[in-house]
């Protein structure tokens, strides 16, 4: 709808790898070898090239091109911001799990509880003002939520191995 290639947004999420590497190098003194630095350079180069490729005028006129560039810039900012937030989440989990001894499963339960409280008003608003979700859709959402919670739990446990966990 916005005219922005979805590849640009997903590629910007890969910026989290660069941020995690940088943060763990600064805060945990993780040593980077030449291959890791080269990998970060290629990630940044790929994000930039895909970003420029998505901003080329596709012949729909200058007004559409201006709108597309506006959305491209916003999508890129939000994509890189999401990578930054994901990286800070990794650093925070590393600190709380290893440095403070906070149990990973408690961290996940607390986080999910807060997310549930934040999202509950949106769910109730949709159920009241729009066509309500069917029972099957609610069950499917519940199953996916458990899957996401399991992945975050496993990710948090993985931070116990290596300096940056799975990002290392």
């Amino acid at each position: 709808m916005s005219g922005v290639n979805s590849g640009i947004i997903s590629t910007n999420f890969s910026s989290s790898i660069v941020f995690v590497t940088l943060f763990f190098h600064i805060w945990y003194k993780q040593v980077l070898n030449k291959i890791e630095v080269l990998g970060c350079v290629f990630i940044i180069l790929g994000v930039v090239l895909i970003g420029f490729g998505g901003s080329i005028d596709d012949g729909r006129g200058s007004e559409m091109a201006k709108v597309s560039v506006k959305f491209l810039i916003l999508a890129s900012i939000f994509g890189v911001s999401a990578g930054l937030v994901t990286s800070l989440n990794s650093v925070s989990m590393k600190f709380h799990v290893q440095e403070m001894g906070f149990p990973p499963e408690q961290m996940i339960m607390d986080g999910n509880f807060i997310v549930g409280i934040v999202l509950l008003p949106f769910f109730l608003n949709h159920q009241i003002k729009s066509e309500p979700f069917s029972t099957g859709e609610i069950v499917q959402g519940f199953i996916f939520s458990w899957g996401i919670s399991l992945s975050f739990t496993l990710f948090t446990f993985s931070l116990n191995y290596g300096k940056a966990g799975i990002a290392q």
Side-chain angles (χ1 to χ4, degrees), residues 57-84:
D57 186 6
D58 60 1
R60 293 186 288 181
S62 61
E63 187 63 34
M64 188 61 178
K66 288 178 188 175
V67 171
S68 292
V69 170
K70 174 185 166 188
F71 283 119
L72 174 68
I73 291 169
L74 286 173
S76 296
I77 289 170
F78 287 124
V80 171
S81 297
L84 180 62

PDB file of all heavy atoms in Angstrom, residues 57-84:
ATOM      1  N   ASP A  57      12.373   5.865  -9.015  1.00  0.00           N
ATOM      2  CA  ASP A  57      11.060   6.173  -9.575  1.00  0.00           C
ATOM      3  C   ASP A  57      10.649   5.061 -10.529  1.00  0.00           C
ATOM      4  O   ASP A  57      11.393   4.688 -11.429  1.00  0.00           O
ATOM      5  CB  ASP A  57      11.124   7.519 -10.304  1.00  0.00           C
ATOM      6  CG  ASP A  57       9.770   7.998 -10.791  1.00  0.00           C
ATOM      7  OD1 ASP A  57       8.753   7.341 -10.465  1.00  0.00           O
ATOM      8  OD2 ASP A  57       9.733   9.013 -11.498  1.00  0.00           O
ATOM      9  N   ASP A  58       9.435   4.551 -10.348  1.00  0.00           N
ATOM     10  CA  ASP A  58       8.969   3.434 -11.164  1.00  0.00           C
ATOM     11  C   ASP A  58       8.081   3.880 -12.318  1.00  0.00           C
ATOM     12  O   ASP A  58       7.359   3.076 -12.897  1.00  0.00           O
ATOM     13  CB  ASP A  58       8.230   2.420 -10.288  1.00  0.00           C
ATOM     14  CG  ASP A  58       7.020   3.018  -9.598  1.00  0.00           C
ATOM     15  OD1 ASP A  58       6.750   4.217  -9.815  1.00  0.00           O
ATOM     16  OD2 ASP A  58       6.348   2.280  -8.851  1.00  0.00           O
ATOM     17  N   GLY A  59       8.104   5.163 -12.656  1.00  0.00           N
ATOM     18  CA  GLY A  59       7.348   5.655 -13.792  1.00  0.00           C
ATOM     19  C   GLY A  59       5.915   6.031 -13.458  1.00  0.00           C
ATOM     20  O   GLY A  59       5.140   6.369 -14.346  1.00  0.00           O
ATOM     21  N   ARG A  60       5.507   6.009 -12.213  1.00  0.00           N
ATOM     22  CA  ARG A  60       4.131   6.345 -11.845  1.00  0.00           C
ATOM     23  C   ARG A  60       3.941   7.846 -11.654  1.00  0.00           C
ATOM     24  O   ARG A  60       2.881   8.280 -11.249  1.00  0.00           O
ATOM     25  CB  ARG A  60       3.731   5.614 -10.567  1.00  0.00           C
ATOM     26  CG  ARG A  60       3.648   4.126 -10.755  1.00  0.00           C
ATOM     27  CD  ARG A  60       3.110   3.460  -9.537  1.00  0.00           C
ATOM     28  NE  ARG A  60       4.114   3.480  -8.479  1.00  0.00           N
ATOM     29  CZ  ARG A  60       3.934   2.949  -7.278  1.00  0.00           C
ATOM     30  NH1 ARG A  60       2.785   2.403  -6.968  1.00  0.00           N
ATOM     31  NH2 ARG A  60       4.890   2.984  -6.379  1.00  0.00           N
ATOM     32  N   GLY A  61       4.963   8.615 -11.896  1.00  0.00           N
ATOM     33  CA  GLY A  61       4.832  10.056 -11.778  1.00  0.00           C
ATOM     34  C   GLY A  61       5.583  10.588 -10.582  1.00  0.00           C
ATOM     35  O   GLY A  61       5.858   9.883  -9.634  1.00  0.00           O
ATOM     36  N   SER A  62       5.902  11.882 -10.654  1.00  0.00           N
ATOM     37  CA  SER A  62       6.731  12.487  -9.611  1.00  0.00           C
ATOM     38  C   SER A  62       6.000  12.579  -8.278  1.00  0.00           C
ATOM     39  O   SER A  62       6.618  12.465  -7.227  1.00  0.00           O
ATOM     40  CB  SER A  62       7.205  13.869 -10.054  1.00  0.00           C
ATOM     41  OG  SER A  62       6.088  14.713 -10.272  1.00  0.00           O
ATOM     42  N   GLU A  63       4.671  12.782  -8.301  1.00  0.00           N
ATOM     43  CA  GLU A  63       3.925  12.881  -7.038  1.00  0.00           C
ATOM     44  C   GLU A  63       3.961  11.549  -6.285  1.00  0.00           C
ATOM     45  O   GLU A  63       4.194  11.505  -5.086  1.00  0.00           O
ATOM     46  CB  GLU A  63       2.468  13.292  -7.313  1.00  0.00           C
ATOM     47  CG  GLU A  63       1.674  13.588  -6.070  1.00  0.00           C
ATOM     48  CD  GLU A  63       2.217  14.768  -5.286  1.00  0.00           C
ATOM     49  OE1 GLU A  63       2.718  15.716  -5.904  1.00  0.00           O
ATOM     50  OE2 GLU A  63       2.150  14.728  -4.040  1.00  0.00           O
ATOM     51  N   MET A  64       3.749  10.436  -7.002  1.00  0.00           N
ATOM     52  CA  MET A  64       3.813   9.118  -6.377  1.00  0.00           C
ATOM     53  C   MET A  64       5.229   8.824  -5.903  1.00  0.00           C
ATOM     54  O   MET A  64       5.428   8.201  -4.862  1.00  0.00           O
ATOM     55  CB  MET A  64       3.324   8.047  -7.353  1.00  0.00           C
ATOM     56  CG  MET A  64       3.188   6.691  -6.735  1.00  0.00           C
ATOM     57  SD  MET A  64       1.980   6.763  -5.404  1.00  0.00           S
ATOM     58  CE  MET A  64       1.967   5.068  -4.914  1.00  0.00           C
ATOM     59  N   ALA A  65       6.217   9.272  -6.672  1.00  0.00           N
ATOM     60  CA  ALA A  65       7.607   9.041  -6.284  1.00  0.00           C
ATOM     61  C   ALA A  65       7.921   9.775  -4.986  1.00  0.00           C
ATOM     62  O   ALA A  65       8.620   9.251  -4.122  1.00  0.00           O
ATOM     63  CB  ALA A  65       8.558   9.494  -7.394  1.00  0.00           C
ATOM     64  N   LYS A  66       7.380  10.999  -4.831  1.00  0.00           N
ATOM     65  CA  LYS A  66       7.601  11.748  -3.592  1.00  0.00           C
ATOM     66  C   LYS A  66       6.978  11.036  -2.402  1.00  0.00           C
ATOM     67  O   LYS A  66       7.563  10.958  -1.332  1.00  0.00           O
ATOM     68  CB  LYS A  66       7.027  13.168  -3.713  1.00  0.00           C
ATOM     69  CG  LYS A  66       7.807  14.072  -4.624  1.00  0.00           C
ATOM     70  CD  LYS A  66       7.139  15.426  -4.722  1.00  0.00           C
ATOM     71  CE  LYS A  66       7.809  16.290  -5.781  1.00  0.00           C
ATOM     72  NZ  LYS A  66       7.121  17.547  -5.978  1.00  0.00           N
ATOM     73  N   VAL A  67       5.772  10.520  -2.594  1.00  0.00           N
ATOM     74  CA  VAL A  67       5.101   9.789  -1.520  1.00  0.00           C
ATOM     75  C   VAL A  67       5.876   8.521  -1.193  1.00  0.00           C
ATOM     76  O   VAL A  67       6.088   8.193  -0.028  1.00  0.00           O
ATOM     77  CB  VAL A  67       3.637   9.464  -1.912  1.00  0.00           C
ATOM     78  CG1 VAL A  67       3.001   8.530  -0.904  1.00  0.00           C
ATOM     79  CG2 VAL A  67       2.835  10.741  -2.045  1.00  0.00           C
ATOM     80  N   SER A  68       6.333   7.811  -2.227  1.00  0.00           N
ATOM     81  CA  SER A  68       7.086   6.576  -2.009  1.00  0.00           C
ATOM     82  C   SER A  68       8.378   6.849  -1.271  1.00  0.00           C
ATOM     83  O   SER A  68       8.761   6.082  -0.390  1.00  0.00           O
ATOM     84  CB  SER A  68       7.385   5.886  -3.338  1.00  0.00           C
ATOM     85  OG  SER A  68       6.203   5.408  -3.917  1.00  0.00           O
ATOM     86  N   VAL A  69       9.061   7.936  -1.607  1.00  0.00           N
ATOM     87  CA  VAL A  69      10.304   8.277  -0.916  1.00  0.00           C
ATOM     88  C   VAL A  69      10.014   8.608   0.545  1.00  0.00           C
ATOM     89  O   VAL A  69      10.750   8.199   1.445  1.00  0.00           O
ATOM     90  CB  VAL A  69      11.035   9.448  -1.626  1.00  0.00           C
ATOM     91  CG1 VAL A  69      12.180   9.973  -0.793  1.00  0.00           C
ATOM     92  CG2 VAL A  69      11.519   9.001  -3.001  1.00  0.00           C
ATOM     93  N   LYS A  70       8.903   9.310   0.789  1.00  0.00           N
ATOM     94  CA  LYS A  70       8.518   9.627   2.172  1.00  0.00           C
ATOM     95  C   LYS A  70       8.299   8.346   2.964  1.00  0.00           C
ATOM     96  O   LYS A  70       8.816   8.192   4.074  1.00  0.00           O
ATOM     97  CB  LYS A  70       7.249  10.471   2.165  1.00  0.00           C
ATOM     98  CG  LYS A  70       6.676  10.748   3.532  1.00  0.00           C
ATOM     99  CD  LYS A  70       5.358  11.483   3.410  1.00  0.00           C
ATOM    100  CE  LYS A  70       4.611  11.462   4.705  1.00  0.00           C
ATOM    101  NZ  LYS A  70       3.261  12.007   4.578  1.00  0.00           N
ATOM    102  N   PHE A  71       7.543   7.404   2.398  1.00  0.00           N
ATOM    103  CA  PHE A  71       7.298   6.144   3.087  1.00  0.00           C
ATOM    104  C   PHE A  71       8.567   5.314   3.198  1.00  0.00           C
ATOM    105  O   PHE A  71       8.763   4.597   4.174  1.00  0.00           O
ATOM    106  CB  PHE A  71       6.196   5.338   2.392  1.00  0.00           C
ATOM    107  CG  PHE A  71       4.819   5.853   2.680  1.00  0.00           C
ATOM    108  CD1 PHE A  71       4.011   6.305   1.651  1.00  0.00           C
ATOM    109  CD2 PHE A  71       4.331   5.896   3.969  1.00  0.00           C
ATOM    110  CE1 PHE A  71       2.734   6.775   1.916  1.00  0.00           C
ATOM    111  CE2 PHE A  71       3.064   6.363   4.252  1.00  0.00           C
ATOM    112  CZ  PHE A  71       2.265   6.809   3.219  1.00  0.00           C
ATOM    113  N   LEU A  72       9.434   5.389   2.188  1.00  0.00           N
ATOM    114  CA  LEU A  72      10.703   4.661   2.230  1.00  0.00           C
ATOM    115  C   LEU A  72      11.559   5.152   3.391  1.00  0.00           C
ATOM    116  O   LEU A  72      12.122   4.355   4.145  1.00  0.00           O
ATOM    117  CB  LEU A  72      11.463   4.826   0.915  1.00  0.00           C
ATOM    118  CG  LEU A  72      12.860   4.232   0.885  1.00  0.00           C
ATOM    119  CD1 LEU A  72      12.789   2.720   0.940  1.00  0.00           C
ATOM    120  CD2 LEU A  72      13.605   4.698  -0.339  1.00  0.00           C
ATOM    121  N   ILE A  73      11.628   6.465   3.567  1.00  0.00           N
ATOM    122  CA  ILE A  73      12.413   7.036   4.666  1.00  0.00           C
ATOM    123  C   ILE A  73      11.816   6.626   6.011  1.00  0.00           C
ATOM    124  O   ILE A  73      12.528   6.182   6.911  1.00  0.00           O
ATOM    125  CB  ILE A  73      12.496   8.570   4.525  1.00  0.00           C
ATOM    126  CG1 ILE A  73      13.358   8.935   3.314  1.00  0.00           C
ATOM    127  CG2 ILE A  73      13.055   9.205   5.790  1.00  0.00           C
ATOM    128  CD1 ILE A  73      13.290  10.397   2.921  1.00  0.00           C
ATOM    129  N   LEU A  74      10.482   6.729   6.146  1.00  0.00           N
ATOM    130  CA  LEU A  74       9.838   6.331   7.403  1.00  0.00           C
ATOM    131  C   LEU A  74      10.021   4.841   7.678  1.00  0.00           C
ATOM    132  O   LEU A  74      10.326   4.441   8.804  1.00  0.00           O
ATOM    133  CB  LEU A  74       8.350   6.672   7.364  1.00  0.00           C
ATOM    134  CG  LEU A  74       8.000   8.153   7.497  1.00  0.00           C
ATOM    135  CD1 LEU A  74       6.506   8.369   7.279  1.00  0.00           C
ATOM    136  CD2 LEU A  74       8.426   8.682   8.849  1.00  0.00           C
ATOM    137  N   ALA A  75       9.848   4.016   6.646  1.00  0.00           N
ATOM    138  CA  ALA A  75      10.016   2.569   6.829  1.00  0.00           C
ATOM    139  C   ALA A  75      11.450   2.238   7.223  1.00  0.00           C
ATOM    140  O   ALA A  75      11.687   1.377   8.083  1.00  0.00           O
ATOM    141  CB  ALA A  75       9.637   1.830   5.546  1.00  0.00           C
ATOM    142  N   SER A  76      12.410   2.927   6.627  1.00  0.00           N
ATOM    143  CA  SER A  76      13.811   2.678   6.968  1.00  0.00           C
ATOM    144  C   SER A  76      14.112   3.090   8.397  1.00  0.00           C
ATOM    145  O   SER A  76      14.796   2.374   9.133  1.00  0.00           O
ATOM    146  CB  SER A  76      14.734   3.435   6.006  1.00  0.00           C
ATOM    147  OG  SER A  76      14.578   2.950   4.700  1.00  0.00           O
ATOM    148  N   ILE A  77      13.587   4.233   8.808  1.00  0.00           N
ATOM    149  CA  ILE A  77      13.805   4.701  10.183  1.00  0.00           C
ATOM    150  C   ILE A  77      13.209   3.711  11.177  1.00  0.00           C
ATOM    151  O   ILE A  77      13.858   3.314  12.149  1.00  0.00           O
ATOM    152  CB  ILE A  77      13.208   6.113  10.383  1.00  0.00           C
ATOM    153  CG1 ILE A  77      14.050   7.152   9.638  1.00  0.00           C
ATOM    154  CG2 ILE A  77      13.115   6.465  11.868  1.00  0.00           C
ATOM    155  CD1 ILE A  77      13.418   8.526   9.561  1.00  0.00           C
ATOM    156  N   PHE A  78      11.972   3.267  10.920  1.00  0.00           N
ATOM    157  CA  PHE A  78      11.332   2.320  11.833  1.00  0.00           C
ATOM    158  C   PHE A  78      12.017   0.959  11.794  1.00  0.00           C
ATOM    159  O   PHE A  78      12.128   0.277  12.809  1.00  0.00           O
ATOM    160  CB  PHE A  78       9.839   2.195  11.545  1.00  0.00           C
ATOM    161  CG  PHE A  78       9.055   3.401  11.976  1.00  0.00           C
ATOM    162  CD1 PHE A  78       8.262   4.087  11.078  1.00  0.00           C
ATOM    163  CD2 PHE A  78       9.117   3.862  13.285  1.00  0.00           C
ATOM    164  CE1 PHE A  78       7.547   5.203  11.474  1.00  0.00           C
ATOM    165  CE2 PHE A  78       8.401   4.972  13.689  1.00  0.00           C
ATOM    166  CZ  PHE A  78       7.612   5.648  12.775  1.00  0.00           C
ATOM    167  N   GLY A  79      12.486   0.538  10.612  1.00  0.00           N
ATOM    168  CA  GLY A  79      13.182  -0.741  10.505  1.00  0.00           C
ATOM    169  C   GLY A  79      14.484  -0.753  11.284  1.00  0.00           C
ATOM    170  O   GLY A  79      14.769  -1.686  12.032  1.00  0.00           O
ATOM    171  N   VAL A  80      15.270   0.315  11.137  1.00  0.00           N
ATOM    172  CA  VAL A  80      16.531   0.415  11.884  1.00  0.00           C
ATOM    173  C   VAL A  80      16.243   0.582  13.370  1.00  0.00           C
ATOM    174  O   VAL A  80      16.945   0.021  14.220  1.00  0.00           O
ATOM    175  CB  VAL A  80      17.404   1.566  11.331  1.00  0.00           C
ATOM    176  CG1 VAL A  80      18.604   1.823  12.216  1.00  0.00           C
ATOM    177  CG2 VAL A  80      17.853   1.243   9.912  1.00  0.00           C
ATOM    178  N   SER A  81      15.188   1.324  13.701  1.00  0.00           N
ATOM    179  CA  SER A  81      14.808   1.474  15.116  1.00  0.00           C
ATOM    180  C   SER A  81      14.434   0.131  15.724  1.00  0.00           C
ATOM    181  O   SER A  81      14.784  -0.154  16.872  1.00  0.00           O
ATOM    182  CB  SER A  81      13.641   2.444  15.261  1.00  0.00           C
ATOM    183  OG  SER A  81      14.000   3.725  14.817  1.00  0.00           O
ATOM    184  N   ALA A  82      13.726  -0.691  14.959  1.00  0.00           N
ATOM    185  CA  ALA A  82      13.367  -2.026  15.454  1.00  0.00           C
ATOM    186  C   ALA A  82      14.625  -2.853  15.687  1.00  0.00           C
ATOM    187  O   ALA A  82      14.722  -3.581  16.683  1.00  0.00           O
ATOM    188  CB  ALA A  82      12.441  -2.729  14.468  1.00  0.00           C
ATOM    189  N   GLY A  83      15.605  -2.730  14.791  1.00  0.00           N
ATOM    190  CA  GLY A  83      16.880  -3.418  14.994  1.00  0.00           C
ATOM    191  C   GLY A  83      17.591  -2.929  16.243  1.00  0.00           C
ATOM    192  O   GLY A  83      18.164  -3.720  17.001  1.00  0.00           O
ATOM    193  N   LEU A  84      17.543  -1.624  16.476  1.00  0.00           N
ATOM    194  CA  LEU A  84      18.176  -1.047  17.660  1.00  0.00           C
ATOM    195  C   LEU A  84      17.488  -1.528  18.936  1.00  0.00           C
ATOM    196  O   LEU A  84      18.147  -1.919  19.904  1.00  0.00           O
ATOM    197  CB  LEU A  84      18.152   0.477  17.583  1.00  0.00           C
ATOM    198  CG  LEU A  84      18.764   1.239  18.745  1.00  0.00           C
ATOM    199  CD1 LEU A  84      20.247   0.919  18.874  1.00  0.00           C
ATOM    200  CD2 LEU A  84      18.553   2.726  18.577  1.00  0.00           C
TER     201      LEU A  84
END
